Each structure stands twice: as C-alpha cells, then as structure tokens.
Amino acid sequence: MSSHATSIDPIAPGPWDVIVIGAGAAGLMTCLELPAGLRVLLLNRNTSRRSSSRWAQGGIAAVTRSNDNAGSHGEDTVRAGAGLCDGDAVRLLVDEAPQSVLRLQELGMEFDRNSDGSLATTLEAAHSHRRVLHVQDRTGKALVDVLRERVDARPGLQHRRGVRVTQLWVQDNRCCGVQVLEGPRLHWIPARAVVLATGGGGHLYTNTTNPAQACGEGVALAWQAGAAIEDLEFIQFHPTALKLEHAPCFLISEAVRGEGALLVDALGQSPVQELAGKDLAPRDQVSRALVRRMQAQGVAHMGLDLTPIDAQTLQRRFPNILERCHNFGINPEQQPIPVAPAAHYWMGGVATDLKATTSLPGLYAVGEVACTGLHGANRLASNSLMECLVFARQLRDIDLGDPLSNATTEEQRTEAPSDTVQDHQAFSQQELSQSIQWLRSECWRVAGVDRSAHGMRDVLGTLQKATPILEAMTPLKLMQQQHPERSTLLDESRRAELNLMLDLLHRQQASSLLLEACLFRKESRGGHFRNDTPAPLPQWCRHSRQIKGQGIGTRAVTS
C-alpha cells in the first residue's frame, strides 16, 4: 500500500496495526510518534481541515527561559487545577515540554522569535512566567499544518477523510477495531489498537469556541464500549469570545490580555477588579465575574479594550484577531471588542494512564478527548496543545499485543442490503436538527458558567426518556446489531438519516454523562460551579469516574 493514498481511495484491507480517530494535533502527533513499520489508518470524520487545534490561537506552554523552571510550571498547573491535578501527570508534562518544543522545531515548526533570535514568549492567565510560545495568533493552525505535512509522508499510513466511526469493536473485553460509515457502506475494520483523538465537547453548548465536530463523540464511543470516563463536570468557559448577533463565537485569545488588554463593563469599569489576578485571574473566575456583571447590568456582553497595547505590537502579534474583527465592522484599535464567555475546553474525558492507555485493553486516548489527570478541575492556559504532544510521544512504546489471528478481513465480508422496514415514528431530519439545537441551548442554560441543580435534573430526566426511543429507531438498531462479517450498503437517504441520528445520539449520551457528573459533585471547584453549593469541600478532592452499567464513583488524586 502506498503511503500517499488519497482521501478518496477506499480503505485498504485490514487488519491494521493502529487506527487513529481524529486528525487534529493529537491525532497527527500520534501518527508521527507511533513506531516505524506499523500500518496506520488515520480516520477523519470531516472532509475539511477544521479542528479545534487549528483554531487554537494562544500558544504552547513550555519552559524555555533561564529565569523559569519546570517546578514553577508545575506549581502553576497545580494551582489552576484546584486540588485535582495528578502529580505524576503534571511532572511528566512539565519535564517533557522543553523536549517536545525541540521535537516540533525538528519537524519544521517556526515559532516567533525576539530580535536577538531567542524564542518569543508571552504571559497568559495563571502563569507566573512568560512561557507561552506562539506563531502570531495562529499557533494551532501553524502546528497542524506542520504535522499534517509530515504525516502525509509517513510510510505505511493511509489518511481517509469523510469517514465516520460509528462504534468501537470490542471482542473478549478488548478493543480490536472500529465500525465505520465509509460513503454509503457501513462495515468493520480490525486493528491491533485504536487511538481516540477526537477532541472535546464544547459544541454541546450553544455558546462555544469549538467547531461542530467537538460534540463529545469520542467520550460517547468509549463509554458505550465500556471504558472509564473521568471528571466530565469540569468545563472551561473561555471569558473572551466575540459576542455579536449573527456572528460565530470567535475566540479572542487570552494572550491579548497578557500583552495588556483590559476587560471593561458597560460603564467603562473593570468587572474583574475584585479578583486577585484581575484580568489574568484563572479563566473560571473571570468567566463568572463577567456573567455576573452582565446579569447585573442587563447586557449581553462585556468589552475588551485593546488600546493599552501599542499598534505595532497589535499588528505583529494578533493579525488574525484584527482581521476577523474588521470583517465584522469592529476596529479594536479604537473601540472595545464585545466579548462574553463560551464553552472552550473539557478537562474531563476518557480516563488514561501516563502511557495514554484507557481501562479498555487495546484502546488509547490522546488530547482533549482524554482525561490524563493533568488539568484537574481547571486547565492552565496553553497546557492543552503541549499535552497532545507529550502524551502522543508516550505511544512510541505502544503495546500492541499479539497480531489479530481471527479478525475478519475485507475479503471475508459479505455485502447485505439495508433493511427496508420503515419506523412508524421515525424522526424527520428537521426534528433531529431541532432536538440537537434544543439540547445545546438547555446545556448552556442549566450547566453553563452558573449551574442549576434543579435545571440539570430536569434536562437529565428528559434525556433518560428520549435516548432509548432514539436508540430503538431502525437505522441505529441495524448499526448496533450488525455482525462483524457483514457489510451494509445504505442508500443516500438512509445514510444521511443514520448520520444525523448518530449526531443526536452521541450528543445525548455525552450530555447525559456531563449532567450526571455535575449533579454528583455537590460542591464548586474549578470549571464546575453550582449556585446551590458555591464553595469547594475537602471531601470532594477526588476525581469523578463513570463506567457504563455501574454507578458513578470517585478515584483518589495521585501525588
């Protein structure tokens, strides 16, 4: 098989050594770090190049300056994590971060530099030193572009876009492949290991900085397969997303405040004056302060004043932000940018150890879909891209186990036409789309920056009734019951229907898990704030843990 197979070529026959799901920074870096000589299949649900990684503006956190050290980086991470950071994960990241920067430079990443040639760094919230490396305000895009070029040249790799993973294949309590919807064809692909790199779940909310595919699908797939899920209640709401009617929630990077920009309310006063870190306090604190001031003043946004930053620095560091604002008729050099909090990053996810291994043998997770214990209750700014790099490098030593001896191959499968039985109560595409929008708005209303226990119980109850009804629909039943030796051809209408049903199902499952975790944790900590229990409690200094078929429980924080 050629390593240069195009995205329109059919997937080559298995079994594969490793299937990687997701082509953002985590998935691409995983492909580069896997041992040489393996057959690797990279699956990307999207036909475009959109990913949360590409949208990341701020930068990558690592110690590169002589006046900084790994201990300080670790202390900042732990402080932001509000008592829930696992010490071993923190130490791994801060110790490996400088080496990961060198690795990126070897791959061709060109970070911004100072006039003396040294790496340029900026300050972001809750960091005690300037340690955030950047490429103007397009760091994520620059990173993904470099990684993709190298991935496309890897021998033995096939990258297929527009292929959706519908289920993980579990046999004898081991993940041994995936079920996919490849064009009109629903079929199974065996592999010795599967790596989830599907991103987070910001799009479960109406207001988000994330693209539509960041809908918690990886968490839903892993939970359905039996893997443990941790800390889903912890969502980071970025304080400064562009807030304009009929405009997307475009992220205004925290690095802007690091360079001197200030938050202002409708009266020109600071809404964060009472916070210890003021404009650079932890994101959860800033977001709550903005929401409360907006409610008190009866307005839909606050302002972000960029005039304290000199024009030359603005043009050099934030050309993308300036361009986007100008496109919407805003001149940040003369007027504050209207901003409001938006769902940005999911600290929780599929539980992994330091080798990116999940509780389900054969299944690994890297990036935002994973919960490594690094971020605790609140992620330190710009640690997420570095987490992708560090934990992807751990897969250099991936344990694949024995080759699949009895796996079904492409040639052994038989084609079967789709079932023609129609549901008497089938949902229309409009009803499915409306259900998704309703769920997003309800998650924002009851489980956003300020959470309502009563509201969350009501929405969870609705989902617990709605999900079994959806699962009983014929397209989903056919998918769930398909034998690994069968391959089903779907006509276009049934394929589109299955896709939309899966969108809703995975969102319902991920949202239910999120709400269950939020209701379980009867305190407020980090990215989880309940208005009925507004303070942290010592007995809750533990990770939440969810496994299908078991009651929600906890895990101790490691030192």
Side-chain angles (χ1 to χ4, degrees):
M1 178 201 49
S2 169
S3 63
H4 300 290
T6 71
S7 61
I8 61 173
D9 291 333
I11 295 174
W16 293 83
D17 291 310
V18 182
I19 295 175
V20 179
I21 310 171
L28 294 172
M29 197 67 185
T30 294
C31 289
L32 291 179
E33 297 292 6
L34 287 167
L38 297 182
R39 300 182 74 221
V40 179
L41 176 62
L42 174 60
L43 297 179
N44 185 355
R45 175 181 166 182
N46 299 309
T47 54
S48 70
R49 294 188 170 188
R50 292 201 309 170
S51 70
S52 293
S53 300
R54 283 182 68 86
W55 289 14
Q57 296 175 14
I60 301 175
V63 172
T64 59
R65 294 161 62 99
S66 59
N67 65 343
D68 195 7
N69 58 75
S72 175
H73 188 182
E75 290 169 2
D76 292 346
T77 299
V78 169
R79 189 180 304 111
L84 290 190
C85 294
D86 286 330
D88 49 1
V90 173
R91 288 189 294 273
L92 176 66
L93 179 114
V94 300
D95 290 344
E96 292 291 323
Q99 186 62 39
S100 292
V101 171
L102 294 177
R103 170 74 166 136
L104 286 182
Q105 290 176 305
E106 291 172 358
L107 292 172
M109 185 82 169
E110 296 184 0
F111 292 103
D112 291 345
R113 292 186 177 270
N114 299 312
S115 57
D116 63 0
S118 61
L119 289 170
T121 55
T122 192
L123 185 68
E124 291 193 3
H127 284 275
S128 56
H129 292 81
R130 298 177 69 93
R131 66 169 68 97
V132 179
L133 306 169
H134 49 78
V135 181
Q136 294 181 319
D137 58 351
R138 300 184 176 98
T139 307
K141 179 180 183 301
L143 173 63
V144 169
D145 287 347
V146 166
L147 297 182
R148 179 176 289 113
E149 182 178 348
R150 293 304 183 110
V151 165
D152 288 344
R154 175 180 169 128
L157 180 140
Q158 185 178 10
H159 181 184
R160 282 290 279 109
R161 294 189 180 93
V163 176
R164 180 173 198 165
V165 173
T166 52
Q167 293 186 82
L168 299 179
W169 183 358
V170 179
Q171 186 173 303
D172 299 327
N173 195 38
R174 181 178 182 86
C175 184
C176 56
V178 296
Q179 183 193 50
V180 299
L181 185 58
E182 181 187 7
R185 189 161 169 249
L186 184 70
H187 64 106
W188 299 85
I189 306 173
R192 297 169 67 188
V194 174
V195 181
L196 286 172
T198 51
H203 211 266
L204 295 174
Y205 292 90
T206 301
N207 299 329
T208 180
T209 62
N210 292 180
Q213 68 265 26
C215 59
E217 188 157 78
V219 167
L221 288 169
W223 175 79
Q224 191 68 39
I229 311 296
E230 290 187 350
D231 290 349
L232 289 191
E233 62 269 38
F234 297 114
I235 301 280
Q236 187 172 89
F237 296 91
H238 199 289
T240 55
L242 178 67
K243 184 64 173 179
L244 282 176
E245 193 173 357
H246 307 306
C249 288
F250 175 69
L251 176 69
I252 308 298
S253 171
E254 195 164 74
V256 173
R257 282 176 283 141
E259 294 293 339
L262 299 173
L263 290 160
V264 294
D265 64 14
L267 302 177
Q269 304 298 312
S270 172
V272 293
Q273 183 64 34
E274 303 303 317
L275 301 180
K278 295 184 171 58
D279 292 88
L280 289 176
R283 290 176 176 176
D284 61 298
Q285 297 178 25
V286 175
S287 290
R288 284 196 297 275
L290 298 192
V291 167
R292 288 168 182 169
R293 188 64 60 91
M294 288 158 56
Q295 291 171 342
Q297 296 183 345
V299 297
H301 62 78
M302 293 281 98
L304 183 60
D305 182 8
L306 274 59
T307 59
I309 307 174
D310 69 85
Q312 185 177 2
T313 301
L314 267 181
Q315 293 289 345
R316 175 175 51 84
R317 282 283 285 113
F318 307 112
N320 191 37
I321 291 174
L322 292 179
E323 180 183 355
R324 290 294 295 270
C325 287
H326 290 155
N327 289 342
F328 290 111
I330 301 168
N331 185 354
E333 294 153 302
Q334 297 180 4
Q335 65 189 111
I337 302 172
V339 296
H344 182 56
Y345 189 87
W346 210 348
M347 275 75 75
V350 185
T352 71
D353 61 16
L354 298 186
K355 295 294 186 182
T357 306
T358 74
S359 64
L360 178 63
L363 180 66
Y364 299 79
V366 177
E368 192 173 349
V369 69
C371 184
T372 63
L374 166 69
H375 303 301
N378 193 23
R379 174 185 68 117
L380 182 66
S382 291
N383 264 357
S384 51
L385 284 178
M386 182 54 73
E387 181 190 35
C388 292
L389 307 177
V390 168
F391 282 85
R393 296 194 79 196
Q394 299 300 97
L395 293 178
R396 291 174 297 177
D397 303 316
I398 189 171
D399 181 10
L400 294 178
D402 296 329
L404 298 171
S405 57
N406 60 344
T408 303
T409 66
E410 211 70 17
E411 290 77 15
Q412 292 174 312
R413 295 184 181 132
T414 58
E415 297 288 337
S418 62
D419 194 332
T420 57
V421 176
Q422 297 295 315
D423 295 302
H424 294 295
Q425 297 179 330
F427 298 109
S428 69
Q429 292 197 16
Q430 182 180 7
E431 288 173 321
L432 292 169
S433 297
Q434 288 174 343
S435 294
I436 289 173
Q437 295 311 313
W438 174 86
L439 182 54
R440 294 181 67 204
S441 64
E442 287 297 280
C443 280
W444 180 259
R445 181 178 68 85
V446 304
V449 177
D450 270 335
R451 292 171 170 172
S452 160
H454 176 74
M456 290 191 292
R457 278 193 291 268
D458 284 349
V459 175
L460 180 59
T462 300
L463 288 175
Q464 288 171 339
K465 295 175 183 176
T467 300
I469 296 173
L470 179 63
E471 287 179 311
M473 295 291 105
T474 297
L476 289 176
K477 284 197 299 185
L478 289 173
M479 180 203 80
Q480 293 160 352
Q481 297 171 2
Q482 186 189 50
H483 192 277
E485 293 184 0
R486 304 300 291 264
S487 173
T488 305
L489 284 177
L490 304 175
D491 61 32
E492 178 54 30
S493 63
R494 185 54 67 93
R495 187 200 64 80
E497 182 181 39
L498 176 58
N499 248 329
L500 199 51
M501 283 186 172
L502 279 172
D503 284 343
L504 179 56
L505 176 63
H506 290 155
R507 286 172 180 271
Q508 287 182 344
Q509 291 172 335
S511 297
S512 294
L513 290 166
L514 164 66
L515 292 168
E516 182 185 38
C518 291
L519 287 166
F520 176 70
R521 183 173 292 275
K522 295 178 175 62
E523 65 156 1
S524 292
R525 183 187 299 267
H528 169 67
F529 187 87
R530 283 178 53 158
N531 50 32
D532 61 332
T533 54
L537 299 172
Q539 64 267 33
W540 283 103
C541 195
R542 299 178 64 85
H543 299 284
S544 65
R545 189 172 176 89
Q546 293 162 282
I547 300 175
K548 186 179 181 181
Q550 302 181 20
I552 187 170
T554 66
R555 174 181 70 81
V557 177
T558 63
S559 59

